[in-house]
Amino acid sequence: MGFQHTNIKPMEPTGLPLDSPTLAEKLKENGYTTHLIGKWHQGHYAQKYLPTNRGFDSFYGLLTGSGNHYTHRRCFLGYCGYDLWNNTTPDFSYKNKRIYSTHLFTKKAAQLIRKHNTKKPMFLLLSLQAVHTPLKVPLKYKELYKNSWIPSGERRRLAGMVSCIDESIGYLITLLKKKMMWKNTIFVFSTDNGGSTIKGSSNWPLRGGKGRYWEGGIRGVGFVYSKLLKRNRIISRQLIHISDWFPTFVRLAGGSLNGTKDLAGYDQWKSISYGTQTKRKEILFNIDSCHYPHGDKLSGTKFDTRIKASIRFGAWKVMTGKQGRGHWLAPHYMKDLTMQDRDPPEKNVWMFNIARDPLERKDLSDAYPQKLRMILDRLAFYNKTAVPCHNPYMDLRADPFANNGVWGPWM
């Protein structure tokens, strides 16, 4: 898709490519009603890129990547506008009501559940704005931690935001049970990346945080609940990637992958439900050829190790290029355990056995040169078919001032 360097900015005339169906489109083929509530962030410069033109029967939420949780305004490079949409039109009814985004989106999800015709299957994607910055939360949730060891400021606000989410999810589950839908629901709760260590989060004892390829930045946690699971209350440490949800959900819905491009994902339901061995043996985290080259090339491999990249191959993980500092940042009450990254600044190759060393403390790139080069060749293999980076110049026609004060389609 060409978004390996950065995400889609509010003023970029680009979006999720139109030449392959979305998950929502594939589920609709099998009779599902499909709904998105919350964050879209897949491009919005033209009507054809909006969620309701990409397979969702309904959409309520924000088109850009973040914004104020109360005013629903987003500022980007000095350009500011309102970003709260109901399908294909802005919803100004909440413009001055200061309703908190988690509460608003939970309210909309509850309305959908209450109105749903249970004779049809439903796919509901609730992509909450929390716990994304700016860190804001109603006082009552922050006050839950008033007498706790969590310090005031960002860390306590973040904890309050998580508690608000927890309350909202519990409320929706109660509704699903009352509607007699819970017994046939597959409920997936998942994060998209590690926490931002400069904005209240802690990934300790893992290394690094959001925006980095260290485990603290890329290792996501989540859970699956369903009466349909053959095993429950287990912890799985098998490899699974976000791209696996597409084929997993389509197959669960009884659909096919006909019409899709070649997928990098695997159907993981047997692994999740039965505990069988996953088919996934590797995860390509990223190859960012648009990031500036760093260090010297390593000889004996087809891959240019100056390029910022990362891959997991079985138990092994390799990173190259400019990775940024990988500190082990402990929470404030354990700050004596914080360790600083001591790698020389010119270093651009690392290899870890993640199965034995998930904290990434022992770099084995010099100890196993043949294995390192074999995995680097896998990066070279993927790089052959990589789509060039695609982040076009900002289009000033996107300025909300010229579009009724809102972030939305301008072409």
Side-chain angles (χ1 to χ4, degrees):
M1 295 187 292
F3 301 133
Q4 60 267 48
H5 183 59
T6 186
N7 54 30
I8 300 173
K9 307 304 183 208
M11 302 178 77
E12 288 182 344
T14 188
L16 185 70
L18 303 172
D19 57 358
S20 192
T22 65
L23 174 60
E25 288 172 314
K26 295 302 291 182
L27 293 178
K28 277 178 68 69
E29 289 178 3
N30 284 273
Y32 276 71
T33 61
T34 57
H35 308 281
L36 169 61
I37 296 175
K39 179 176 170 180
W40 172 239
H41 202 196
Q42 298 296 321
H44 61 266
Y45 80 99
Q47 287 282 340
K48 60 185 177 182
Y49 287 96
L50 298 187
T52 50
N53 292 317
R54 302 308 310 273
F56 288 99
D57 292 319
S58 74
F59 164 64
Y60 192 92
L62 61 158
L63 293 174
T64 65
S66 63
N68 188 292
H69 293 266
Y70 288 100
T71 66
H72 314 295
R73 282 175 58 83
R74 168 73 190 275
C75 288
F76 175 75
L77 298 179
Y79 299 91
C80 298
Y82 189 70
D83 186 14
L84 185 62
W85 287 73
N86 184 10
N87 295 321
T88 58
T89 57
D91 183 1
F92 292 112
S93 63
Y94 292 98
K95 187 172 183 179
N96 299 310
K97 292 185 178 180
R98 293 189 62 81
I99 183 170
Y100 187 58
S101 63
T102 299
H103 289 159
L104 176 58
F105 296 150
T106 302
K107 174 184 175 181
K108 296 298 181 179
Q111 290 173 353
L112 279 175
I113 292 171
R114 289 193 185 99
K115 295 178 180 178
H116 178 63
N117 178 2
T118 55
K119 293 181 179 180
K120 294 194 69 175
M122 177 175 70
F123 172 60
L124 172 57
L125 174 56
L126 177 58
S127 181
L128 291 173
Q129 188 177 348
V131 294
H132 201 287
T133 55
L135 301 182
K136 293 181 179 291
V137 69
L139 182 61
K140 73 172 187 176
Y141 299 102
K142 191 168 63 171
E143 288 292 290
L144 294 173
Y145 301 93
K146 183 176 181 179
N147 298 315
S148 74
W149 47 264
I150 300 177
S152 60
E154 289 183 335
R155 184 68 175 166
R156 189 174 294 180
R157 289 197 296 272
L158 182 71
M161 293 172 82
V162 173
S163 291
C164 184
I165 291 174
D166 187 55
E167 177 186 87
S168 295
I169 297 301
Y171 172 64
L172 293 176
I173 289 174
T174 299
L175 281 182
L176 287 168
K177 290 178 178 179
K178 288 182 178 179
K179 187 80 172 181
M180 303 301 291
M181 295 170 64
W182 186 241
K183 62 183 178 181
N184 198 34
T185 291
I186 297 174
F187 182 88
V188 178
F189 186 95
S190 181
T191 184
D192 58 352
N193 47 245
S196 173
T197 55
I198 62 173
K199 289 295 181 180
S201 293
S202 172
N203 304 300
W204 194 86
L206 298 178
R207 191 174 182 179
K210 179 180 178 178
R212 309 293 188 199
Y213 299 164
W214 306 104
E215 288 295 286
I218 61 171
R219 181 179 288 226
V221 295
F223 66 85
V224 178
Y225 177 90
S226 177
K227 298 289 187 181
L228 304 176
L229 290 170
K230 301 303 180 184
R231 303 187 313 158
N232 53 37
R233 299 178 183 270
I234 62 167
I235 296 175
S236 174
R237 303 192 185 280
Q238 298 198 60
L239 290 182
I240 186 169
H241 186 257
I242 190 170
S243 61
D244 296 333
W245 291 123
F246 190 115
T248 301
F249 289 158
V250 171
R251 292 272 165 72
L252 280 170
S256 76
L257 299 176
N258 293 339
T260 64
K261 288 191 170 183
D262 291 339
L263 296 177
Y266 294 88
D267 179 358
Q268 293 274 19
W269 185 247
K270 287 185 178 179
S271 174
I272 294 170
S273 182
Y274 294 90
T276 57
Q277 189 66 33
T278 176
K279 295 179 181 178
R280 180 174 286 285
K281 305 302 179 187
E282 62 185 8
I283 296 176
L284 174 64
F285 295 118
N286 201 16
I287 301 175
D288 185 359
S289 56
C290 287
H291 199 278
Y292 55 88
H294 177 71
D296 298 322
K297 287 184 179 181
L298 182 69
S299 62
T301 176
K302 300 173 185 177
F303 187 72
D304 185 348
T305 54
R306 300 175 302 170
I307 295 174
K308 184 179 181 181
S310 183
I311 189 172
R312 175 79 180 266
F313 186 85
W316 298 87
K317 175 183 173 183
V318 168
M319 302 191 302
T320 63
K322 181 71 172 179
Q323 291 294 336
R325 308 309 291 175
H327 305 307
W328 294 263
L329 300 174
H332 78 285
Y333 60 92
M334 303 168 64
K335 61 183 179 181
D336 291 344
L337 297 178
T338 288
M339 295 190 301
Q340 300 297 313
D341 181 349
R342 303 295 184 188
D343 288 337
E346 67 275 8
K347 185 173 176 60
N348 69 354
V349 178
W350 297 260
M351 184 170 74
F352 302 98
N353 185 321
I354 297 297
R356 297 181 179 178
D357 179 27
L359 308 187
E360 299 173 300
R361 292 189 175 182
K362 190 173 183 180
D363 176 20
L364 299 173
S365 57
D366 290 333
Y368 298 95
Q370 289 185 323
K371 183 173 289 293
L372 170 65
R373 284 163 174 78
M374 182 272 289
I375 298 175
L376 287 172
D377 285 346
R378 291 299 296 163
L379 281 173
F381 167 79
Y382 283 116
N383 203 34
K384 286 181 182 177
T385 56
V387 177
C389 297
H390 177 64
N391 286 97
Y393 290 109
M394 306 296 173
D395 188 341
L396 295 181
R397 291 177 295 174
D399 182 358
F401 184 77
N403 295 282
N404 199 28
V406 300
W407 291 107
W410 68 89
M411 291 178 66

